[in-house]
Amino acid sequence: MTSTGVPLGLSWAPSAVGNWAPGTPLLQPFMTFNFAVEIEGLLVGGFSEVDGLASDIEVEEYREGGVNGFVHKLPGHTSPANLVLRHGLTAISTLWNWYDNTTRGVITRRNGTIMLLDRRQIPVMWWNFRNALPVRWSGPTLNATDDQVGFESIELVHEGLSKPLLGQAAALAQGAVQMAGL
């Protein structure tokens, strides 16, 4: 309990107080269907899906002697998820060649960027990944009874994601434009 009699962590004021004023338009979330992927030195074409923009921090528990009410939880090792990039199969075999070379011991790690675009194709946010290496390639499912587009995907391990300040500034600028109603 605090000296006011209100338990710690409880607030009787709405959480938006200080962050939002009545009459101000709320920021619209970015749509995820419009994006681009660039992989250092590879001509690939457009991707239809990106999965794995994720990272976890392992938590280490520390029990302090004489403290029985809680266990300290300390941040440990950070583990980025594998990226899975998927796109329609074309005559360009860049992803296959990169994967195939890796299976033959010709290791080429590459950096890349995943950019979220607005409706005008302008990047509004992006994430960089470092030292990626293909660890899985999947080709299309072949089926003579349907007329679907064939897809290939490549799974990449990498050494981490970053969200550059310039990308964060672009997102803020986009939000300011939205709030101004332009």
Side-chain angles (χ1 to χ4, degrees):
M1 296 282 248
T2 64
S3 61
T4 62
V6 176
L8 287 175
L10 293 180
S11 170
W12 304 110
S15 63
V17 171
N19 295 326
W20 175 76
T24 304
L26 295 176
L27 291 177
Q28 296 298 314
F30 295 123
M31 305 303 284
T32 61
F33 64 85
N34 203 2
F35 61 93
V37 178
E38 181 273 330
I39 301 174
E40 173 186 324
L42 293 181
L43 174 64
V44 177
F47 286 92
S48 57
E49 188 176 337
V50 173
D51 191 23
L53 278 173
S55 181
D56 294 317
I57 299 174
E58 293 177 15
V59 176
E60 298 176 13
E61 293 187 355
Y62 173 74
R63 296 184 185 278
E64 183 177 358
V67 177
N68 297 322
F70 65 93
V71 175
H72 295 280
K73 299 199 181 228
L74 306 172
H77 178 75
T78 302
S79 301
N82 291 355
L83 291 171
V84 179
L85 310 176
R86 187 171 184 226
H87 77 121
L89 193 61
T90 65
I92 299 172
S93 296
T94 311
L95 294 178
W96 166 258
N97 292 340
W98 186 25
Y99 175 79
D100 188 48
N101 284 339
T102 301
T103 66
R104 297 171 193 272
V106 180
I107 308 300
T108 305
R109 291 186 175 266
R110 299 183 189 275
N111 300 322
T113 302
I114 300 165
M115 294 172 277
L116 187 58
L117 309 173
D118 68 10
R119 294 185 188 276
R120 297 169 293 169
Q121 304 294 313
I122 297 171
V124 293
M125 188 177 297
W126 57 88
W127 299 265
N128 293 333
F129 55 90
R130 298 184 310 276
N131 293 326
L133 187 66
V135 293
R136 179 182 169 97
W137 176 88
S138 299
T141 299
L142 304 175
N143 183 342
T145 64
D146 70 35
D147 60 352
Q148 301 296 314
V149 171
F151 286 90
E152 74 174 332
S153 66
I154 192 159
E155 186 170 337
L156 306 174
V157 295
H158 57 93
E159 294 178 1
L161 294 169
S162 65
K163 192 171 175 183
L165 287 176
L166 184 58
Q168 294 177 46
L172 286 172
Q174 181 75 12
V177 167
Q178 273 186 24
M179 290 185 75
L182 301 175

